[in-house]
Amino acid sequence: MNQKTISSDARVAVYIRRSRDEDGIGIEELLKNHRQRLQVFMNEKGFEGVEWFEEVASGGSIDGRPEFKRLLSNVQAGHYDAVAVIHEDRLTRGDEEDRGKIKNIFKATGTLLLTVDNRIIDYNNPTDLLTSGFTGLMSEYEKAQILRRFRDGKITAVQNGTPHSGTTAYGYTWDKNTKTAEVVQHEADVLRMMVDWYLKDGLSAGQIALKLNDLKIPSKRGGFWHSEVVSTMLQNDFYTGVVYYRKYKTEVDFVNDVVKYTSKLNDDPETVIKARGNHTPLITDYEHAEIIKRIEELRKYKSKDRRVRKNTYRLSGLIYCPHCGLCQGLMRRKGMANRTHVRKCLKKSTRRTPECDDTRGIREDYVFEAVKMRLQQYRDTLFAPTEPSDDNAAMNSLSRMIKAHEAAIEKARKHFDKIKEMFMNDIIDMDEMKEEKQRHSDIIKRNEAELTKLRMNKDFHDEERKEQQRKLWSSDDVERVFNNELSDSEMNDVLRLLIVRIVYQFNDEGGVDIEITYR
Ligand SMILES: [Zn+2]
């Protein structure tokens, strides 16, 4: 945006100002921060013989700022090519009259204004003037000023090696006094375990989340773990000891006339500030690189080994008619939108009912998005840690009983072998052996009957099924469903692994009810 440059032999003055009303927030520290940042900036630009003006002023008027007055008369005398400040607002505060006067002096002498975010403001340039603090409404100006101060504080913090807020990654806690992220040892141990699981044991993020939930280890916020949380955590290079400012940028979008903000990685290296942090690293650079490599490979999967079948849609073979229970077909509609549609029930079987005629087709993406959302919810409940409840206690005693019966059977079988051995060694005679054999086979039969009864218990089945489902749902493929990284036919393969059938029906309110039967 700003094409102007300024050579390193320019004559430069620096102006630093804090107002007394900022006193409550450590004025000395703030001054030091500004001094430090401007010094870094001056060094970067290679300016020499820089003149420094610094003051703690009360109020915005020129009269209340003696150092500024001195600077301004120097500017008027044409002493400088440029004046550097933390931000333009350091110069443009005050009433209309003062601001007009300052602007005119800079304009008349052609003195440029430099700001630490690398802006060069030329008041003879109409565009610069338009975007400068000298125009616009005062209220907006004031608002922007507050935001800028906030941002300036964050930049300084990053340059000083501290993250710019009190929220720190899992494994650390924020120490207000030292302004450093201090290691929380038990969390750091968990992180270590996660890195090993990921890199050494090759577990997926989903499997790691599952393991952590099984071990009843709470997440940062005290809840349960998700694959996304694990994946984001493993990729966070804060753990390697770096801090950032503007690592992410916010993008504004309009979706159905609603403003939507999305946070994205800032890919403009010019605006990202990265610095070595003061905190203890928990992941080595090498490990971090390995983690990123594996995640990249997961993404690259997209282009290699694709299983692409023609005429297979994402929901092929999954949607069933609520009336005859037969499968509904899908087709690509030719035309402008080129959308995929689920067709109404057209099966001409003996099972066909009159209601089948009343079924309606539906847009495939509509059903797909709804299904995806439901899958997400289902996964959440599947991986939620089981609360200690009465049900759970009953479940535990049930599995204890099952184990006891299994042990009794095992013991009786071993005894069986022993009886044979005793007979061979003439310790017992034939009758005794027969009697013992009978006794133990009765024990086995009794226990097996009990076991069958217990295993038929619904709770036991539910829990066992849940366990199997958890295994199924923690695969990399399921993660790809949520990351939209699959072709239509691949998506169909994974969905068929998780879902038996989807039934949709239009309800009286004009909406659609969707029922999913999971495997
Ligand atoms: Zn039907």
Side-chain angles (χ1 to χ4, degrees):
M1 203 169 73
N2 221 314
Q3 299 300 323
K4 292 183 286 292
T5 53
I6 185 159
S7 71
S8 62
D9 58 3
R11 297 159 302 155
V12 179
V14 171
Y15 179 65
I16 304 173
R17 200 204 100 238
R18 305 293 324 192
S19 55
R20 281 200 211 288
D21 51 355
E22 292 168 322
D23 212 0
I25 38 177
I27 199 140
E28 263 315 307
E29 200 183 338
L30 288 169
L31 273 173
K32 207 181 100 197
N33 285 345
H34 278 193
R35 215 176 287 140
Q36 192 182 333
R37 281 185 59 206
L38 282 157
Q39 189 61 62
V40 169
F41 184 55
M42 291 296 103
N43 294 346
E44 274 172 8
K45 292 281 162 195
F47 297 137
E48 280 170 20
V50 175
E51 268 184 68
W52 291 72
F53 296 83
E54 186 179 316
E55 68 193 335
V56 178
S58 48
S61 78
I62 297 177
D63 282 340
R65 298 152 69 188
E67 276 300 283
F68 185 68
K69 233 168 150 175
R70 197 163 68 81
L71 169 74
L72 207 57
S73 71
N74 283 356
V75 171
Q76 200 158 18
H79 282 197
Y80 315 113
D81 296 308
V83 173
V85 287
I86 279 281
H87 200 277
E88 200 191 355
D89 67 12
R90 297 289 117 176
L91 208 71
T92 58
R93 268 199 83 183
D95 59 21
E96 287 289 343
E97 203 187 314
D98 277 354
R99 283 159 65 197
K101 193 172 159 190
I102 298 163
K103 184 186 76 179
N104 287 336
I105 291 171
F106 271 77
K107 200 175 165 182
T109 56
T111 309
L112 301 172
L113 190 68
L114 303 181
T115 64
V116 280
D117 55 357
N118 229 347
R119 260 182 87 201
I120 302 173
I121 301 155
D122 178 356
Y123 292 117
N124 284 305
N125 179 323
T127 320
D128 285 4
L129 206 56
L130 196 70
T131 55
S132 85
F134 289 117
T135 57
L137 291 167
M138 195 59 190
S139 60
E140 270 182 40
Y141 160 77
E142 219 98 65
K143 209 178 1 178
Q145 199 180 33
I146 291 161
L147 282 173
R148 272 182 223 122
R149 286 225 190 107
F150 183 62
R151 191 197 58 187
D152 287 347
K154 291 202 282 193
I155 295 177
T156 311
V158 167
Q159 283 177 344
N160 287 333
T162 53
H164 52 69
S165 74
T167 39
T168 45
Y170 181 89
Y172 296 96
T173 185
W174 182 250
D175 189 324
K176 262 194 250 169
N177 300 318
T178 60
K179 292 204 169 145
T180 309
E182 303 286 355
V183 172
V184 177
Q185 200 49 52
H186 69 271
E187 288 186 0
D189 293 343
V190 172
L191 178 71
R192 188 87 313 263
M193 212 155 69
M194 291 164 73
V195 172
D196 286 347
W197 283 338
Y198 197 74
L199 291 179
K200 290 188 184 141
D201 303 343
L203 298 192
S204 73
Q207 285 165 327
I208 291 173
L210 175 62
K211 267 194 132 166
L212 292 170
N213 292 337
D214 276 354
L215 290 169
K216 307 235 183 297
I217 295 170
S219 72
K220 180 96 179 164
R221 287 187 197 148
F224 54 86
W225 299 83
H226 284 273
S227 65
E228 286 88 352
V229 174
V230 172
S231 170
T232 313
M233 232 177 95
L234 289 171
Q235 291 174 70
N236 187 354
D237 54 6
F238 182 80
Y239 291 121
T240 66
V242 296
V243 285
Y244 283 98
Y245 173 68
R246 271 205 201 119
K247 188 178 183 183
Y248 299 94
K249 60 179 175 191
T250 308
E251 281 183 3
V252 186
D253 244 346
F254 282 92
V255 179
N256 300 326
D257 292 333
V258 177
V259 189
K260 204 182 143 199
Y261 296 95
T262 39
S263 181
K264 288 196 170 151
L265 265 183
N266 185 354
D267 47 17
D268 175 11
E270 292 282 311
T271 58
V272 181
I273 297 176
K274 183 182 176 182
R276 183 73 18 204
N278 297 331
H279 59 287
T280 311
L282 294 177
I283 293 180
T284 66
D285 287 341
Y286 174 76
E287 286 169 333
H288 180 73
E290 287 295 299
I291 290 166
I292 298 299
K293 208 168 100 191
R294 200 176 144 202
I295 284 164
E296 288 298 310
E297 273 162 16
L298 258 167
R299 289 205 181 107
K300 257 190 255 149
Y301 169 87
K302 240 179 173 168
S303 52
K304 66 173 193 190
D305 298 333
R306 302 310 299 264
R307 301 183 298 272
V308 181
R309 288 189 307 274
K310 273 192 174 175
N311 301 321
T312 298
Y313 304 103
R314 298 181 291 192
L315 299 175
S316 290
L318 284 167
I319 301 181
Y320 289 81
C321 169
H323 309 293
C324 67
L326 292 170
C327 200
Q328 286 174 243
L330 287 103
M331 66 177 293
R332 184 92 64 202
R333 279 253 170 98
K334 295 275 180 285
M336 263 169 42
N338 205 20
R339 279 193 190 112
T340 307
H341 268 255
V342 181
R343 309 174 84 182
K344 63 181 286 188
C345 177
L346 297 164
K347 289 277 149 69
K348 289 180 179 62
S349 77
T350 49
R351 283 162 67 179
R352 190 170 179 85
T353 69
E355 285 90 355
C356 289
D357 294 336
D358 299 331
T359 57
R360 283 158 60 190
I362 192 170
R363 268 171 62 173
E364 182 265 1
D365 55 349
Y366 186 95
V367 182
F368 178 76
E369 287 309 321
V371 166
K372 210 168 97 176
M373 205 180 76
R374 297 271 288 275
L375 288 179
Q376 219 144 10
Q377 290 165 352
Y378 190 78
R379 186 173 62 159
D380 284 353
T381 52
L382 204 56
F383 288 103
T386 38
E387 296 300 320
S389 63
D390 288 350
D391 277 4
N392 217 352
M395 188 57 229
N396 283 337
S397 68
L398 186 69
S399 49
R400 260 204 305 279
M401 271 153 70
I402 287 171
K403 281 207 181 91
H405 286 297
E406 284 171 343
I409 293 168
E410 179 70 20
K411 203 173 157 191
R413 288 222 169 97
K414 272 187 186 148
H415 233 92
F416 227 94
D417 296 335
K418 215 170 178 181
I419 296 158
K420 233 159 98 187
E421 212 182 284
M422 283 158 87
F423 171 70
M424 300 285 239
N425 293 323
D426 290 326
I427 299 169
I428 51 172
D429 62 25
M430 179 71 93
D431 286 343
E432 280 174 318
M433 182 187 74
K434 275 184 179 164
E435 201 181 302
E436 275 296 281
K437 263 187 160 176
Q438 189 57 50
R439 201 165 68 85
H440 281 93
S441 92
D442 286 349
I443 292 172
I444 292 171
K445 270 182 202 153
R446 243 189 356 253
N447 278 291
E448 273 180 344
E450 277 303 310
L451 259 185
T452 314
K453 252 199 291 187
L454 288 175
R455 284 192 173 135
M456 272 164 66
N457 185 298
K458 193 184 160 293
D459 290 344
F460 180 76
H461 272 279
D462 285 354
E463 196 49 39
E464 216 173 42
R465 181 166 174 265
K466 211 170 164 185
E467 203 45 54
Q468 283 169 352
Q469 274 187 314
R470 281 184 183 152
K471 276 191 193 117
L472 188 66
W473 282 68
S474 58
S475 76
D476 282 346
D477 278 341
V478 175
E479 264 178 79
R480 290 190 184 103
V481 169
F482 298 110
N483 297 340
N484 284 325
E485 288 172 357
L486 299 169
S487 72
D488 285 0
S489 50
E490 285 164 346
M491 183 67 82
N492 187 248
D493 286 341
V494 182
L495 291 182
R496 278 170 184 251
L497 274 178
L498 307 178
I499 295 172
V500 180
R501 73 164 60 81
I502 301 162
V503 174
Y504 72 89
Q505 255 179 307
F506 288 87
N507 60 35
D508 296 337
E509 288 89 50
V512 181
D513 297 326
I514 294 175
E515 199 189 306
I516 301 173
T517 311
Y518 298 98
R519 285 202 189 277

